[in-house]
Amino acid sequence: MLEPPNRPPAQTPDAPTYPSPAAPPEMAPLDRPLVGPPASRFPTLRDAWPMAHPFTLNGVFERNGFTPIWTALLVFVSTFLVYQIVGGIAAAVVIVSDLASSGEVPDVGDALEALAEHAGPFLAGNALGQWIGFGLLTLLAARWHTRTWRPFLRLRMPDGPGLGLAVLGFAALVLPVQWLGNLNRSLPQPDWLREFEQTQVELIEKALLGADLGPLFLLFTVALTPALCEELLFRGYFQRQVERKWGAVVSIVLVGLFFGLYHMRLSQVVPLALLGTYLGYAVWATGSLWTGVLVHLLNNGLAVLVAVYVRDHPTLTMEEIESATVPWYLALPSLLAVAGLCVLMHRRREVVTGGRPDAAPVADLPSPDPPSVLAPS
């Protein structure tokens, strides 16, 4: 039987190859936004206090990378210029109106007399400058950092026991401030600066003593307005920004020094810086800007009441009150009492906050599960 010839095995055609389908794109997790910048770019912070609300740094300053120190200096200079411009316009209006009535070009003494005669409009214009510059612009600046600007500025209820300790500390601080003021005035300073400061003091005294203004008007324009507006700028905004960069201790001391220099009275810069430092510490230790407002109001209100008392008793002068000497054996124990009360405020803060720092990042909370379409309604 013949065998069939050897033949190569039949070649089956290769199966056509097709590219494998592309892997589906990775879906974003449910707890991350599908659009917009990553969440880490806009950190959410919260102060240590139980009553504190978180704030997210998502304003225009933060989105454009402005650093805390540069924005603090920018806002401080801008608000100060606006305050000076508005107050200067009020003073110019008073002087020009007096010039129009007299027909003579006034010198410095005449200008001071004109401001004293029209102290009401002058003080009202000065207060308006603070409300616009230190008040409104500071609130806008805080809004340009975060939409939740109230916790950013520490505008919350203070800790009650801490607030009481802060008021007691201010009462103990009155004598050391007066004592340091006397020491500060004894330091040498240039003649031109001494003359400038003397002119400033005369203007304030003439405005307070030379016009028959009611105590309520003086308390509003000279006590309440600076207490609110200056605290918003210094302890609310400025201290927060410096604290973000260099911590609480540096911010309290540095802003207190700026507060002393801001008043442009070199003979009083030391007691004013001490007062500003105490205000900053009280705000930090009680967790609320309202503590600084209250203590500031007590300080300014005391000065107004003394001025009204001197005005009603012609045998007294403001110079005698300001130059009243406080012996060191009263000032130093009072200063030690202030230090002790500050220690108590710090311990109270530690008890309430557990020693946690302010402006700490808030941990991301888990997103709630989405509702199931199969779940019964």
Side-chain angles (χ1 to χ4, degrees):
M1 184 175 180
L2 296 178
E3 295 180 0
N6 294 329
R7 295 179 181 176
Q11 299 289 332
T12 57
D14 295 335
T17 59
Y18 301 97
S20 59
E26 181 182 358
M27 299 298 292
L30 292 176
D31 59 349
R32 190 175 66 192
L34 299 179
V35 295
S40 60
R41 183 180 172 186
F42 297 148
T44 299
L45 308 178
R46 180 177 178 177
D47 288 340
W49 298 87
M51 63 280 197
H53 294 283
F55 54 92
T56 302
L57 299 175
N58 52 8
V60 62
F61 281 158
E62 304 294 333
R63 293 199 301 267
N64 289 278
F66 286 85
T67 62
I69 297 301
W70 280 113
T71 51
L73 294 176
L74 175 64
V75 170
F76 178 79
V77 172
S78 301
T79 55
F80 182 76
L81 289 177
V82 171
Y83 161 59
Q84 292 293 331
I85 290 172
V86 175
I89 291 175
V93 169
V94 170
I95 295 173
V96 169
S97 63
D98 186 76
L99 173 63
S101 61
S102 63
E104 299 179 357
V105 178
D107 56 13
V108 176
D110 295 334
L112 292 177
E113 291 296 334
L115 292 175
E117 293 177 2
H118 306 278
F122 170 68
L123 293 177
N126 187 74
L128 179 62
Q130 289 212 356
W131 283 107
I132 295 176
F134 295 164
L136 179 60
L137 290 186
T138 300
L139 293 178
L140 288 176
R143 181 65 174 78
W144 291 335
H145 286 281
T146 174
R147 294 184 180 93
T148 50
W149 49 270
R150 289 182 181 86
F152 179 84
L153 295 172
R154 292 186 169 99
L155 287 171
R156 63 178 75 99
M157 290 298 295
D159 173 61
L163 177 63
L165 292 172
V167 173
L168 290 176
F170 165 72
L173 193 64
V174 172
L175 291 180
V177 165
Q178 182 75 10
W179 178 64
L180 287 174
N182 293 333
L183 292 179
N184 200 163
R185 276 191 294 269
S186 65
L187 297 177
Q189 57 179 314
D191 293 337
W192 64 268
L193 190 58
R194 189 181 298 276
E195 293 176 0
F196 170 78
E197 184 174 327
Q198 184 62 30
T199 302
Q200 185 184 27
V201 171
E202 290 179 2
L203 174 59
I204 297 174
E205 290 183 358
K206 287 180 179 295
L208 293 176
L209 306 179
D212 190 17
L213 299 176
L216 292 180
F217 177 82
L218 292 176
L219 286 172
F220 177 79
T221 57
V222 182
L224 179 61
T225 294
L228 280 170
C229 299
E230 291 178 4
E231 288 306 303
L232 272 175
L233 175 62
F234 284 95
R235 259 63 63 177
Y237 182 83
F238 202 5
Q239 184 166 314
R240 172 71 80 179
Q241 291 295 87
V242 178
E243 186 178 347
R244 289 176 60 190
K245 178 66 175 178
W246 291 318
V249 176
V250 175
S251 68
I252 291 171
V253 175
L254 186 61
V255 175
L257 180 60
F258 265 82
F259 182 75
L261 295 173
Y262 144 76
H263 289 83
M264 295 187 296
R265 294 187 62 184
L266 190 59
S267 66
Q268 295 295 311
V269 67
V270 174
L272 287 173
L274 175 63
L275 178 62
T277 302
Y278 179 77
L279 288 169
Y281 181 82
V283 168
W284 174 82
T286 62
S288 174
L289 185 67
W290 295 115
T291 302
V293 172
L294 176 61
V295 174
H296 200 150
L297 177 61
L298 290 175
N299 179 77
N300 292 359
L302 179 62
V304 169
L305 293 179
V306 169
V308 172
Y309 183 82
V310 171
R311 185 184 65 184
D312 296 338
H313 295 77
T315 57
L316 295 176
T317 63
M318 288 298 298
E319 184 177 358
E320 293 175 351
I321 300 296
E322 292 181 355
S323 60
T325 58
V326 175
W328 64 268
Y329 52 83
L330 292 180
L332 292 183
S334 299
L335 198 58
L336 291 177
V338 175
L341 289 167
C342 288
V343 171
L344 292 179
M345 279 191 283
H346 186 271
R347 290 181 179 177
R348 172 64 187 177
R349 175 189 165 90
E350 293 288 315
V351 169
V352 178
T353 66
R356 295 184 300 273
D358 283 343
V362 176
D364 294 334
L365 299 176
S367 299
D369 295 332
S372 173
V373 294
L374 301 179
S377 58

